[in-house]
Amino acid sequence: MGCVEHIVLENVVKAYGRLKALDKINLRVCRGERVAILGPNGAGKTTLVKIISGQMRATSGTVRVMGKNPAEFSRELRRNIGFVSHNPMLYDELTAYENLKFYANLYSVGDKNRVNELLKKLKLYDRRHSRVKTFSRGMKQRLAIARALLHDPEILILDEPTSGLDIEGRLELLKNLSSIDKTILLTTHNLSEAERLCSRAVILTNGKVVAECSMDEAERIYLEKCI
């Protein structure tokens, strides 16, 4: 069975005056693929995923996510994208359950059991009635993933989701993510994390794609291109 393209970018540029944060990016991601966007800090990784998720407009070029332009509001497309960043963006004064219930209402999630299912899946059910301000960084990130999965999107975008976590927290989070059956786009500068989760790498530096390769080749090529 051939590639069903979930994400397509053609000659995408994002410029701030003379500065190009992204310079003629071309990218294709098939349904069900797990692709790591690798690169040092400042390479343009976050800018790229914000454009793909519709949080930012490209200056020029073509962006298609499931056949639609993410910069133009589409309820259908919004329901098919889940986004997790290093900032969990949760309500600290609400409990874990209340946070997910709030977002379930926003997404019009009709399944009354969905919140509890995700709390169990992400190993937060026993703390469902605890306020989020009492959670560790790793617990907050797991709750952010649960929120991103509430509406059962086809595409999950992860923008350095393990930033600020200790080793145990990173391993736990990656274990949770490994069990998720979605098209996944992961931005990171941590090669070991990418190897645990992804099968293909796109290497970005100074706003340009300098290589695309399998994860088996990623470390060698990353060292050649970015160090």
Side-chain angles (χ1 to χ4, degrees):
M1 189 173 181
C3 169
V4 176
E5 292 179 332
H6 260 177
I7 299 169
V8 178
L9 278 69
E10 296 177 343
N11 295 317
V12 169
V13 173
K14 180 61 180 179
Y16 299 95
R18 293 183 178 180
L19 174 65
K20 289 184 178 178
L22 296 176
D23 189 2
K24 295 184 179 179
I25 299 293
N26 292 286
L27 174 67
R28 277 174 167 73
V29 178
C30 298
R31 182 172 65 189
E33 267 198 296
R34 296 181 173 201
V35 179
I37 308 296
L38 301 174
N41 291 332
K45 303 186 299 296
T46 294
T47 300
L48 178 61
V49 294
K50 282 187 173 181
I51 287 172
I52 292 170
S53 61
Q55 299 177 59
M56 185 182 289
R57 283 182 176 270
T59 303
S60 62
T62 300
V63 183
R64 288 287 181 270
V65 178
M66 298 183 69
K68 299 180 183 297
N69 181 355
E72 297 175 359
F73 180 79
S74 163
R75 189 175 299 276
E76 179 186 355
L77 184 56
R78 290 291 184 271
R79 288 189 62 85
N80 276 306
I81 296 176
F83 190 91
V84 180
S85 73
H86 57 278
N87 180 355
M89 294 181 287
L90 300 164
Y91 293 100
D92 280 349
E93 293 299 325
L94 298 182
T95 67
Y97 182 88
E98 289 168 341
N99 263 276
L100 293 192
K101 193 66 178 176
F102 173 77
Y103 284 102
N105 290 335
L106 283 183
Y107 284 119
S108 301
V109 176
D111 184 354
K112 294 181 180 179
N113 297 317
R114 182 67 174 162
V115 168
N116 284 331
E117 286 174 1
L118 285 168
L119 287 169
K120 289 174 182 177
K121 183 178 180 64
L122 276 300
K123 298 182 180 177
L124 293 169
Y125 187 75
D126 290 344
R127 294 289 304 276
R128 64 193 182 281
H129 296 312
S130 299
R131 290 186 183 185
V132 168
K133 69 179 181 181
T134 67
F135 283 11
S136 68
R137 173 97 171 102
M139 292 170 69
K140 287 181 178 180
Q141 283 300 83
R142 280 186 276 147
L143 186 59
I145 291 168
R147 182 198 58 214
L149 294 172
L150 264 174
H151 52 300
D152 196 23
E154 292 200 38
I155 299 170
L156 186 60
I157 297 175
L158 307 166
D159 185 21
E160 302 201 12
T162 64
S163 177
L165 296 183
D166 58 21
I167 292 175
E168 184 179 354
R170 288 182 180 185
L171 292 175
E172 179 68 23
L173 195 64
L174 290 167
K175 182 180 178 182
N176 291 142
L177 289 169
S178 296
S179 66
I180 294 169
D181 184 22
K182 304 286 181 188
T183 300
I184 291 178
L185 204 59
L186 168 72
T187 75
T188 183
H189 53 266
N190 188 314
L191 282 163
S192 64
E193 291 180 6
E195 288 169 350
R196 284 177 176 270
L197 191 61
C198 300
S199 58
R200 182 161 70 91
V202 175
I203 300 175
L204 200 67
T205 187
N206 296 321
K208 295 182 178 181
V209 173
V210 293
E212 291 190 49
C213 60
S214 69
M215 286 310 308
D216 291 339
E217 303 173 291
E219 182 174 4
R220 174 182 60 80
I221 295 175
Y222 186 90
L223 291 172
E224 289 176 359
K225 301 289 185 179
C226 301
I227 303 300

